[in-house]
Amino acid sequence: MIFILLFSSYVCAQNTGDSLAIIENNLVETKVKDTTHSPQKAALLSLVPGAGQIYNHIAMPKGKKKAFWKVPLIYAGLGATGYFAIQNHIEQKALKEEYEFRAKNEVPNLQKYAQYDQQGVLTLFENTRRSRDLMIFAFIAVYGLNVLDAHVEAHFVEFDVSDDLTFNIKPRMHDFRTPGIALSFNFR
């Protein structure tokens, strides 16, 4: 009985060591994978507005960090378009109620619409509905641009722009008769 217990504990100890080695190898592999900057991860993080821009900002080299300033613009765009969409929706509902009230009673219900006739209230309703729909589309556009910006910016995190990269334009004579331009690109 003692022999079986000692042998099984030895086998379990060997398996535990092997599994620890496998776990350590997997951890090393995941650390290597996490060091690369992923545009897909930036786009997924940007589903929370601004998170992809912060992810890109943290990954940039020290002298080139510039992605954080976009976050207030994203929230300002989403806030403004959301606010105007809600305001237009409230105004649209009030105009609809006013139109329905006038259809039954022939008198204005709300004082702010007293100057408009039935057709004027209907025109205001259509204009407000169109403005609301445009603000909803603008909200979706700002949100989509947020995700697109994070994805594109992530591609430029490791992009090298140094003084060694040059572009020169020089005049040149081709065949000693034809003037032309010579372009030269110098990379490291």
Side-chain angles (χ1 to χ4, degrees):
M1 184 71 144
I2 293 174
F3 176 74
I4 293 174
L5 286 176
L6 288 176
F7 182 73
S8 64
S9 66
Y10 176 75
V11 170
C12 289
Q14 290 298 321
N15 288 340
T16 305
D18 292 340
S19 60
L20 285 177
I22 292 170
I23 291 172
E24 287 175 5
N25 288 338
N26 287 340
L27 287 175
V28 170
E29 288 176 10
T30 57
K31 286 181 183 177
V32 171
K33 290 178 186 175
D34 289 342
T35 58
T36 59
H37 192 73
S38 170
Q40 290 81 13
K41 186 174 181 181
L44 282 175
L45 284 172
S46 196
L47 293 176
V48 174
Q53 282 75 12
I54 298 297
Y55 172 70
N56 291 335
H57 177 77
I58 292 170
M60 286 183 182
K62 191 155 189 134
K64 298 179 184 178
K65 294 189 177 210
K66 60 181 181 199
F68 70 92
W69 63 271
K70 297 174 188 176
V71 176
L73 294 176
I74 291 167
Y75 280 102
L78 291 174
T81 55
Y83 172 78
F84 287 122
I86 290 169
Q87 287 302 104
N88 285 327
H89 182 70
I90 292 169
E91 185 73 19
Q92 177 206 4
K93 283 175 57 178
L95 284 163
K96 182 179 179 181
E97 290 172 5
E98 178 70 21
Y99 183 79
E100 289 173 351
F101 185 81
R102 285 186 183 190
K104 294 177 186 171
N105 299 335
E106 299 289 329
V107 293
N109 182 27
L110 298 173
Q111 191 61 29
K112 69 179 182 177
Y113 302 124
Q115 63 187 357
Y116 300 105
D117 63 347
Q118 190 78 347
Q119 187 61 36
V121 171
L122 187 59
T123 303
L124 282 175
F125 171 79
E126 290 295 326
N127 289 341
T128 311
R129 185 175 57 137
R130 188 175 314 116
S131 296
R132 181 205 59 189
D133 293 346
L134 284 174
M135 287 298 117
I136 291 171
F137 288 132
F139 184 88
I140 293 168
V142 169
Y143 189 81
L145 285 174
N146 157 51
V147 174
L148 181 66
D149 175 66
H151 183 74
V152 170
E153 182 87 24
H155 283 287
F156 292 111
V157 165
E158 298 172 2
F159 189 71
D160 181 29
V161 178
S162 64
D163 294 335
D164 293 339
L165 302 175
T166 58
F167 170 73
N168 292 322
I169 301 175
K170 297 177 185 176
R172 181 173 178 198
M173 293 295 288
H174 299 285
D175 300 331
F176 298 108
R177 290 179 281 165
T178 310
I181 297 174
L183 302 174
S184 66
F185 297 97
N186 296 325
F187 300 101
R188 284 189 207 196

